[in-house]
Every structure is written in structure tokens, then in C-alpha cells.
Amino acid sequence: MSDWEDEYDQDGVAIYKPATKPAPADWKFSCNDRQRENVVFGVKNGTKFGAPREMRANRSGPGPEVNKWGDRGGPGRQTTFNKEESSRPLTITVETTSIGRVIGRGGATIRELQESSGARIKINKGGYEGEVVIFGSTAAQQKAKEMIEDLVAEGNSQYCNEYGGRCGGEKNGSVWSTAELQAANVVQDRPSIDWDAIRENKEKYKELKWKDIPPIKKKFYTEAPSVAVLTPEEVGEWRKENNDIFVDDLNEEEEKRQIPNPCRTFLEAFELYPEIMENIDRVGFTKPTPIQSQAWPVLLSGEDLIAIAQTGTGKTLAYLLPGFIHMDGQPVPRAERDGPGMLVLTPTRELALQIEAECNKYRYKGYKSICIYGGGDRRGYSRVWDLPRRSLCCHRI
């Protein structure tokens, strides 16, 4: 039979035994057999009153006892219980979600509750509710019960203010006052948007949007005399003979613009740009492809272009050579610019690498190109970004 059961009757009342030689005894216990369903600080479920079977002490007689709570209490932390003044254990039902608040981090809160009240507290976890069993005198049990109820009902702030716990905050569990919380819950009516006024002032808002942007030059195209003299019939016949090119202006708000005539030779497109012609002569091209002939006049004029053609028809060179001219011809000096001068977006890594290889075939006034994609070599990126104002970027998305 356990030592605890020797000194309590079946109703939980302590059996009085005169002490012949009162002496304190150290309690020694092991936590190796702790049951997982119960969280216990100081006691373990196993006997009638929840005392652990392994907590047996060598005592010479009853009387005041000092229980050292192992390594959880820390050196020098002791709690004294007098069994002669003990009454029946007091049980409180607490929601499982509040058990952690009673225990505290690392058992700090339950130790403070025991030290402040003089009672011994055991916690049994359940499914939806748990039990808090309080041992000790009636006064100690009542004090511990009040502290636990306040702790569960109002949060740690009430416990800290009244009993010196190590926590803080307001009673409502928030750092904000009640008035501030109520004000935050008030939903303000959003002002309606006057779309008619926005449409009427569209040009004004457009100017405000771009007012801080440095000036951009877009028109670099000078039509060659041999291109300007082409009649609409000649242009239509040429487009039909060269992959049956179809052109259209997608701007539906304004009057349709005239599509520039195609440049049938490299010289008709880049006669004013000898560095471009040097690259073309170096790689050995003799005649532009149909997509290049029709795209170059449009892109050098600063217009937006959507060009669709088969693979291998020279689409990369169709925007690359005009891109060189646009980057170099801006009014802002190159030394004052920030970031890359041209950005090429591709849907796949393979296509981005293919475009980079095509860009590396051409040299124009010191511009460099780099392909950026996931898993690439960062050392290569850093080398090119040392010259950010001379960069041409191919980027995978």
C-alpha cells in the first residue's frame, strides 16, 4: 500500500498520528513512468489521491514535510505542505484549451500558483475538459481555486497584476484599449468612384502618370527613296510573294494608320547605321526574311508590333537590331541611365538560351547580353551587372 494511502481514509481525510520525532524528509521520485495522458507537476496518477507509486520517502514519522520538486523547481525552490491541515482534494473542471494557460511555459505558471497558494496542484487532461485537482488545506485550496479561475477567465494579465506573475498586457488580452478596438471594428463607407470624371480627364491623368519619366525618343526610321516610291499594288504583290504577309492596324479607337512599306534590302533599313551594316556583313546575310522586311520599318518608327511567323524565319533579329538603335539613341546619356536598356521575355528557358546565343553573334557599341533564369550561374550575372547601362537582358518567365 502507498505511503499516501497509509495516512488518509477512503474519504480523503487525513488520519492523525502523533509525531514522536518530527523531522523533515526529502521526497525522491522518478519521471520515467509518467503517463502521456496526464500532465503532472509534483504528482502522478496511480493511487487513490493521484500520488505516484514511486514517490516513497524514508521518514521517521509524520509531521511537516518539505517536497522538493526535482529539477523543475530549480535549486533552492521548496514548497511546504502540512498533512495535518489537509482536507479533501478539491477538483475544478477546466476546458482543455485552457489547460496550457494553467501550466504555463515549462510549468512556470503552475509552480507559481503552488508557491503563492501553498497548495499542491495536479492536472488530468481529458478529451474536451480537464480536471485540476488541488491538495492542501481549505484556505490554500480556496486561494489556488480563485487564482486558477481568474487566470482562465481573464487571461494572464489579471494573474500578473494580483499575484506577481511573469507576464503582462491588458485585461482584455490585447495591447489595444477597448475604445481603439471598437473604433477598428467600425466599417467606413468607401467613397464611390466617379468613372465619368476619370474618362473625361484621361489625358490629364496620363500626363500626371508619365510626368517624371525621362523623355524617350521613338522615331528612328527614315524611309529610303527606293521604298517610298513603291505603289500599293507593288507592295501587295511583294507581300503575297513573300509568305503571303497579312498586315492590319489593331487600333479601333482612332482612324486606321497606314502600314509602312517593307524594306526589301538591309541597306534600305539601316543605311544610316553603319555599325548595324558591319554586323550584317560579318555574319554573311544577303537578304532579309519577309518578317524582318516588314517589321523593321514599324519598329524603327516607334510603333507597337505583334508579329507572328514560323520558327526559323528570323524573328529574333527582327526586334534585336531595332533594339540596338533604340537603346543607343535615347536623349538621356548612357552614363545616367539605370538598369538594362532592353528586356526580352520568353516563356521557356530553352528559348531564352537560344535568344542569348543569337544576341552574342552581334556587337553594337559595347552592349552585353545575359540570360536570366532559375538555376543559372550567379557569377555570370554579376559580371554583366557591373555594366548595368550597357546590358541587354533575356529573361525567362
Side-chain angles (χ1 to χ4, degrees), residues 5-314:
E5 295 177 350
D6 288 341
E7 301 181 6
Y8 289 86
D9 59 17
Q10 59 182 356
D11 295 327
V13 180
I15 302 174
Y16 175 75
K17 295 181 180 181
T20 56
K21 189 189 297 183
D26 291 339
W27 290 73
K28 300 179 181 179
F29 64 96
S30 171
C31 297
N32 296 331
D33 298 328
R34 180 178 298 171
Q35 297 179 3
R36 296 187 63 179
E37 66 273 14
N38 293 339
V39 178
V40 183
F41 294 88
V43 296
K44 175 185 170 86
N45 188 15
T47 62
K48 188 169 184 178
F49 296 107
R53 293 184 177 88
E54 62 271 26
M55 290 179 57
R56 293 189 176 93
N58 295 325
R59 301 180 273 112
S60 57
E65 298 175 358
V66 176
N67 185 9
K68 296 183 179 180
W69 300 99
D71 56 354
R72 289 190 176 271
R77 303 187 79 178
Q78 298 180 349
T79 305
T80 303
F81 302 102
N82 193 333
K83 291 184 179 179
E84 295 181 359
E85 300 177 0
S86 298
S87 59
R88 294 188 60 180
L90 177 62
T91 302
I92 304 175
T93 301
V94 178
E95 293 183 359
T96 304
T97 56
S98 301
I99 291 295
R101 175 174 292 177
V102 178
I103 297 175
R105 179 173 295 182
T109 304
I110 195 170
R111 287 198 300 270
E112 291 180 5
L113 290 170
Q114 292 181 131
E115 293 173 359
S116 300
S117 63
R120 182 163 50 88
I121 302 172
K122 170 190 172 182
I123 296 178
N124 295 324
K125 283 188 176 180
Y128 297 98
E129 292 181 343
E131 290 184 346
V132 179
V133 185
I134 305 174
F135 300 89
S137 63
T138 303
Q141 290 179 351
Q142 186 63 30
K143 183 177 181 180
K145 177 177 178 293
E146 294 175 357
M147 294 170 67
I148 294 172
E149 290 176 348
D150 292 340
L151 183 64
V152 172
E154 300 184 13
N156 290 342
S157 58
Q158 180 80 10
Y159 169 73
C160 295
N161 295 334
E162 295 186 5
Y163 304 107
R166 292 171 292 185
C167 48
E170 300 293 332
K171 286 188 177 183
N172 58 10
S174 173
V175 297
W176 305 101
S177 64
T178 304
E180 290 172 329
L181 291 174
Q182 292 176 351
N185 292 328
V186 176
V187 179
Q188 304 260 346
D189 292 335
R190 295 185 178 181
S192 59
I193 300 175
D194 189 352
W195 293 107
D196 294 334
I198 292 176
R199 294 186 186 97
E200 292 175 1
N201 298 277
K202 179 178 65 173
E203 297 299 327
K204 175 184 175 181
Y205 293 136
K206 186 183 294 185
E207 294 177 1
L208 293 174
K209 177 180 179 181
W210 301 108
K211 68 174 183 177
D212 296 329
I213 301 298
I216 300 176
K217 183 180 177 181
K218 293 185 177 182
K219 296 186 181 296
F220 295 94
Y221 181 59
T222 301
E223 191 175 44
S226 59
V227 177
V229 298
L230 293 174
T231 63
E233 292 76 14
E234 292 174 334
V235 172
E237 184 179 352
W238 181 91
R239 288 171 178 165
K240 187 173 183 179
E241 293 175 353
N242 290 269
N243 296 342
D244 197 11
I245 296 177
F246 172 78
V247 296
D248 189 19
D249 185 6
L250 301 180
N251 190 353
E252 299 178 353
E253 298 181 358
E254 301 175 359
E255 186 179 352
K256 296 285 185 178
R257 294 165 292 182
Q258 183 179 359
I259 308 299
N261 294 338
C263 296
R264 296 164 297 177
T265 64
F266 290 108
L267 196 61
E268 288 179 343
F270 304 111
E271 183 178 5
L272 302 179
Y273 305 99
E275 295 88 347
I276 298 292
M277 292 302 301
E278 290 176 3
N279 281 277
I280 293 173
D281 294 338
R282 181 170 52 82
V283 297
F285 291 143
T286 59
K287 181 182 177 181
T289 64
I291 188 66
Q292 294 170 355
S293 297
Q294 188 61 74
W296 284 337
V298 177
L299 294 176
L300 288 173
S301 300
E303 301 291 346
D304 297 330
L305 175 67
I306 300 174
I308 302 173
Q310 295 176 348
T311 302
T313 54

